Amino acid sequence: MRIELCWPLTLFAPAKLNLGLEVIGRRPDGYHEVVTILQTVSLFDRIELTPSAGLEYQPPPGIADDLVARALDELSRRGIEIAARIRLDKQIPIAAGLGGGSSDAGTLLGALAIAGVPRALIDEIASGLGSDVPFFVRGGTALATGRGTELEPLPTSSGWFVVVVPRLHLPDKTRRLYQALEPGDFSDGSATRAQAERLRQGLPLDPELVRNPFIRALEAYPEVRQAAEALREAGAHWIWPTGAGPALFAVTGDFSSARDVARLVPPVTRAFVCTTVSGRINDERVRRFVHIRG
């Protein structure tokens, strides 16, 4: 199977927030059992594809484990030939809990599924790349359970957030923070499931139902404490990590409130104003620009 482009194509790969994340306990396979709501938001990496005789891709500098390169390798191994020059423009901060690498791979795989690559093959590759990658194949809003790959799509409600990214680098971050969890950090998932039920009913996000057990371990780092304090001083009330952090997000009522909070955050901390983004944002352009042979 050969994927060809009719014209240049830009895919938008959105960041995600965890609108509630509860860890139930450790699974027999070594992963942790989680209940979380994943939500794509309007902070994007861009994947730029231009027609080419064959596949050309060079991973951006500074990425130790490039999931796009791994996805392309898996596609090639299964006989999927992509005739395109691919360039990845990174805007989502790396290793911050915002899912940028997973989104890049999932967005590309999702575009190929829309173009006609068998969905079962796409889902198999996505699952093998990482827990968040299957979610990004479709994006939008989903309740994720198990190790984060069992997905139930949910309605996307409107919402505005301020995301701040402390200037903190934690090598092997996810493993370290999961290891730092204590018995009191575990819960039964009921708050996040209640939030999911609100979304099913078309109700807005309830900030009081948001949970994330990593906040305790993250607050041991002064950079995280300072970022949280900056948000509070700017007027934010509901502040949580996304994923295992260290990025934090504040729930706000509307764009104006989010903008005002972001303007008051000191420039030493990166701040982004984001809104919720529904799934399949690239589908229409993919259908018009991509052609499959074989």
Side-chain angles (χ1 to χ4, degrees):
M1 179 179 290
R2 179 178 168 89
I3 313 293
E4 297 179 349
L5 296 176
C6 302
W7 297 280
L9 169 66
T10 297
L11 303 175
F12 293 91
K16 60 85 179 168
L17 298 179
N18 293 80
L19 303 181
L21 167 60
E22 295 182 76
V23 180
I24 311 304
R26 185 179 290 275
R27 296 159 48 100
D29 60 8
Y31 289 92
H32 283 78
E33 191 82 13
V34 301
V35 179
T36 184
I37 295 174
L38 300 168
Q39 174 65 60
T40 46
V41 294
S42 58
L43 171 60
F44 302 100
D45 286 345
R46 291 188 292 273
I47 306 171
E48 299 174 356
L49 301 94
T50 54
S52 177
L55 176 62
E56 300 177 42
Y57 175 67
Q58 182 65 43
I63 300 179
D65 182 20
D66 184 57
L67 294 181
V68 169
R70 288 174 54 190
L72 292 171
D73 287 344
E74 289 297 319
L75 289 162
S76 176
R77 195 166 65 84
R78 288 164 169 80
I80 309 297
E81 181 184 359
I82 301 176
R85 181 181 299 110
I86 302 175
R87 189 178 78 88
L88 179 56
D89 179 14
K90 292 292 296 179
Q91 299 296 321
I92 301 171
I94 297 170
L98 295 165
S102 295
S103 180
D104 298 335
T107 296
L108 179 61
L109 290 171
L112 295 177
I114 293 302
V117 177
R119 175 71 67 176
L121 175 59
I122 292 296
D123 289 342
E124 177 187 345
I125 293 173
S127 295
L129 292 174
S131 296
D132 284 345
V133 179
F135 164 69
F136 284 110
V137 170
R138 297 166 178 82
T141 314
L143 177 67
T145 55
R147 65 181 183 93
T149 56
E150 298 172 25
L151 301 172
E152 176 198 338
L154 296 171
T156 298
S157 66
S158 60
W160 286 93
F161 312 93
V162 178
V163 179
V164 298
V165 183
R167 298 191 182 279
L168 172 66
H169 174 63
L170 292 175
D172 201 15
K173 176 202 67 175
T174 302
R175 184 187 63 82
R176 288 173 59 181
L177 287 169
Y178 268 102
Q179 287 183 340
L181 293 175
E182 298 176 353
D185 297 321
F186 296 106
S187 56
D188 63 2
S190 59
T192 304
R193 292 185 185 278
Q195 189 82 270
E197 182 58 32
R198 288 181 58 85
L199 297 180
R200 292 188 195 100
Q201 296 176 13
L203 297 173
L205 181 76
D206 182 354
E208 294 193 17
L209 289 174
V210 177
R211 304 285 188 274
N212 190 311
F214 295 108
I215 187 64
R216 180 194 57 78
L218 285 168
E219 285 181 340
Y221 298 95
E223 295 90 345
V224 176
R225 293 197 304 272
Q226 290 163 9
E229 185 59 31
L231 280 169
R232 293 188 189 97
E233 290 181 355
H237 300 292
W238 306 101
I239 303 166
W240 290 99
T242 179
L248 306 173
F249 71 94
V251 182
T252 63
D254 51 32
F255 168 72
S256 179
S257 299
R259 179 196 58 198
D260 291 344
V261 169
R263 283 176 174 173
L264 292 173
V265 173
V268 293
T269 300
R270 290 171 291 175
F272 305 90
V273 172
C274 300
T275 188
T276 52
V277 171
S278 60
R280 304 184 182 278
I281 58 175
N282 297 295
D283 288 13
E284 185 56 37
R285 281 172 295 112
V286 169
R287 291 189 182 99
R288 289 189 287 119
F289 288 11
V290 180
H291 178 70
I292 285 187
R293 296 185 184 276

